[in-house]
């Protein structure tokens, strides 16, 4: 649970702390918020009044317990705002409209014939208009949109080659271009980072502040959440797991290297093994031995990654998610063993070292939709530092 700061300089940060507390607790009183956040009762009262007026919180009534007048409790107002999430891939785009509780109100999937900016701009506007019409939500109620695309961003030789390549995006400001195309603020992120944000807000990582998410898309990527915040690196390319070498002098990769993880543990590598596009659900249903062979190889290579990620980041857990069916993810996790002797191997763990994500095939789009919400509700200790109250931060964290 994040701790508030009573210096008076960090109202925006404290709003996030209060919203995060209510989100995690479900329903909670002002007194309980103050106790959990170390904020004064008056500060909590002022913040909750503001959030109620804005429609982000709502009155959940009084909970009967013990003697005396029970306190009023509050909860996040699911319909206090809406966000749109879009996953853009070389061959398809998927979009969702969600409320603040993460409930999907409408979704659409369509083929992409032209993945360049000239093709994506108009088609994305049509998709979003259709979403709003289907859900009966006014454009004015949208807090913002998140768009995810396969990374890495802006790296010649990686961004423009291979199965995840998106031609024409290398030199443009994607957020500005897409925002103008759809007529609303847009946050752009790579698919793995957005998927991690989705799991943090709505999935298995709701109560984790430090975790890694291995994301299976056409390629394979890594979403990092450290200290409750997504970590993207200096240029948005942190977690480019797919091009880490796991087999020296192994299979050639479009990036110019050999033995990259993406060549062994991705949907594209599975499709290659089958000699064409893979309908993984059908393979699972039919018990196809080619899927068994792919899982065995992928688990072997992922074991290397698990050891590396645990020793590098000391996460509470590593989450596996993305476009693979739950049954395949479960088998992959079971096949990654025995787990290596790393800093994560310790007694008294409250969370398993490996977890399966729970947001399913919509993970990237849901993660994209979560980006504007994450900006609104998730505390960032950096806000205190930027306010110039380092001493206050130290006191708050003790």
């Amino acid at each position: 649970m994040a701790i508030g700061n009573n210096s008076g300089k960090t109202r925006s940060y404290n709003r996030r702390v209060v919203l995060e507390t209510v989100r995690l607790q479900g329903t909670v009183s002002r007194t309980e918020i103050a106790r959990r956040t170390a904020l004064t009762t008056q500060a909590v009262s002022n913040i909750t009044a503001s959030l109620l007026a804005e429609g982000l919180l709502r009155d959940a009534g009084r909970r009967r317990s013990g003697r005396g007048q029970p306190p009023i409790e509050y909860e996040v107002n699911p319909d206090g705002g809406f966000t749109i999430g879009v996953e853009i891939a070389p061959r398809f785009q998927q979009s969702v409209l969600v409320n603040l509780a993460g409930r999907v109100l409408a979704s659409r999937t369509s083929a992409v014939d032209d993945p360049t900016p000239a093709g994506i701009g108009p088609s994305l506007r049509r998709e979003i208009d259709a979403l709003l019409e289907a859900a009966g939500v006014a454009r004015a109620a949208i807090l913002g949109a998140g768009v995810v695309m396969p990374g890495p961003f802006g790296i010649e030789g990686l961004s423009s080659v291979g199965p995840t390549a998106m031609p024409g995006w290398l030199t443009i400001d994607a957020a500005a271009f897409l925002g103008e195309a759809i007529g609303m603020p847009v946050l752009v992120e790579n698919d793995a980072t957005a998927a991690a944000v989705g799991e943090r807000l709505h999935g298995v990582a709701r109560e984790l502040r430090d975790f890694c998410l291995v994301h299976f898309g056409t390629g394979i990527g890594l979403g990092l959440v450290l200290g409750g915040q997504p970590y993207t690196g200096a240029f948005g390319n942190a977690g480019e797991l797919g091009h880490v070498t796991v087999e020296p002098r192994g299979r050639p990769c479009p990036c110019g290297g050999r033995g990259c993880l993406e060549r062994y543990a991705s949907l594209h590598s599975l499709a290659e093994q089958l000699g064409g596009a893979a309908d993984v659900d059908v393979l699972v249903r039919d018990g196809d031995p080619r899927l068994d062979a792919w899982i065995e190889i992928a688990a072997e290579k992922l074991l290397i990654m698990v050891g590396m990620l645990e020793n590098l980041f000391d996460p509470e857990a590593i989450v596996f998610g993305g476009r693979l069916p739950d049954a395949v993810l479960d088998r992959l996790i079971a096949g990654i063993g025995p787990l290596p002797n790393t800093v994560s191997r310790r007694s008294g763990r409250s969370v398993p070292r490996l977890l399966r994500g729970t947001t399913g095939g919509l993970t990237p789009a849901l993660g994209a939709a979560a980006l504007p919400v994450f900006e609104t509700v998730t505390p960032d200790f950096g806000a205190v530092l930027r306010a110039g109250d380092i001493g206050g931060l130290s006191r708050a964290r003790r």
Side-chain angles (χ1 to χ4, degrees):
M1 186 72 66
I3 301 299
N5 183 278
N6 287 301
S7 71
K9 300 178 182 179
T10 54
R11 180 172 174 79
S12 175
Y13 168 76
N14 287 337
R15 278 168 53 91
R16 291 184 177 203
V17 168
V18 171
L19 273 170
E20 172 83 339
T21 302
V22 178
R23 184 182 72 84
L24 290 175
Q25 296 303 307
T27 58
V28 63
S29 68
R30 287 173 173 169
T31 301
E32 183 66 9
I33 294 171
R35 187 184 70 80
R36 289 178 177 274
T37 63
L39 289 168
T40 66
T41 303
Q42 185 59 54
V44 171
S45 180
N46 292 339
I47 292 170
T48 54
S50 174
L51 295 173
L52 284 165
E54 295 172 34
L56 294 174
L57 293 184
R58 68 182 182 186
D59 185 330
R62 298 180 185 273
R63 179 175 59 185
R64 295 288 175 185
S65 60
R67 300 171 59 184
Q69 178 79 327
I72 296 173
E73 295 197 322
Y74 301 94
E75 62 187 4
V76 172
N77 179 10
D79 298 321
F82 306 87
T83 60
I84 289 170
V86 181
E87 179 187 11
I88 300 174
R91 294 182 178 83
F92 70 91
Q93 62 183 10
Q94 189 168 50
S95 54
V96 296
L97 174 68
V98 304
N99 65 13
L100 287 182
R103 179 182 167 219
V104 177
L105 305 180
S107 65
R108 290 177 62 85
T109 302
S110 59
V112 167
D113 299 319
D114 179 5
T116 66
I120 291 295
S123 67
L124 186 57
R125 177 72 185 223
R126 290 193 298 270
E127 291 295 297
I128 288 177
D129 287 343
L131 277 180
L132 295 174
E133 182 178 356
V137 172
R139 182 175 283 267
I142 303 299
L143 299 175
V147 175
V148 300
M149 305 170 72
F153 296 138
I155 308 298
E156 190 67 54
L158 287 181
S159 306
S160 57
V161 298
T164 63
M166 296 284 290
W169 296 89
L170 189 62
T171 59
I172 72 168
D173 184 333
F177 173 82
L178 293 170
E180 183 176 349
I182 66 176
M184 65 180 66
V186 168
L187 296 169
V188 174
E189 191 51 83
N190 72 54
D191 49 5
T193 297
V197 170
E199 287 290 347
R200 170 86 166 99
L201 279 183
H202 306 304
V204 71
R206 277 175 60 91
E207 298 189 16
L208 302 183
R209 292 184 58 79
D210 295 88
F211 70 94
C212 304
L213 183 136
V214 177
H215 176 69
F216 295 89
T218 302
I220 184 169
L222 177 71
L224 290 168
V225 173
L226 306 177
Q229 298 293 314
Y231 179 77
T232 60
F235 302 102
N237 291 317
E240 191 51 46
L241 200 66
H243 295 290
V244 174
T245 300
V246 293
E247 183 67 43
R249 297 178 295 279
R251 299 174 185 173
C253 181
C255 75
R258 300 186 70 92
C260 295
L261 179 64
E262 194 167 283
R263 301 293 289 112
Y264 302 91
S266 65
L267 283 172
H268 180 68
S269 70
L270 176 57
E272 273 191 327
Q273 183 158 321
L274 299 176
D279 187 331
V280 185
D281 290 309
V282 173
L283 299 178
V284 172
R285 183 195 66 198
D286 296 344
D288 196 306
R290 294 173 298 177
L291 176 61
D292 298 338
W294 177 83
I295 289 175
E296 183 177 354
I297 294 172
E300 176 186 285
K301 306 306 180 188
L302 287 165
L303 177 63
I304 300 171
M305 287 295 102
V306 167
M308 181 184 73
L309 293 175
E310 288 183 336
N311 280 331
L312 281 174
F313 299 108
D314 191 20
E316 294 170 82
I318 297 175
V319 180
F320 286 75
R323 293 197 165 276
L324 287 175
D326 289 349
V328 177
L329 289 172
D330 286 339
R331 289 181 58 189
L332 267 177
I333 291 172
I336 300 173
L339 292 177
N341 186 20
T342 70
V343 297
S344 291
R345 186 177 180 181
R346 57 185 179 274
S347 60
R349 290 186 61 92
S350 59
V351 179
R353 289 167 67 178
L354 305 183
L355 296 171
R356 170 169 54 80
T358 56
T359 52
L362 285 175
T363 295
L366 284 173
L371 292 173
V373 180
F374 200 84
E375 290 284 305
T376 301
V377 307
T378 303
D380 178 2
F381 282 124
V384 180
L385 298 176
R386 290 190 292 273
D389 187 34
I390 299 175
L393 173 61
S394 301
R395 291 190 299 273
R397 298 185 75 175
R398 283 200 293 266

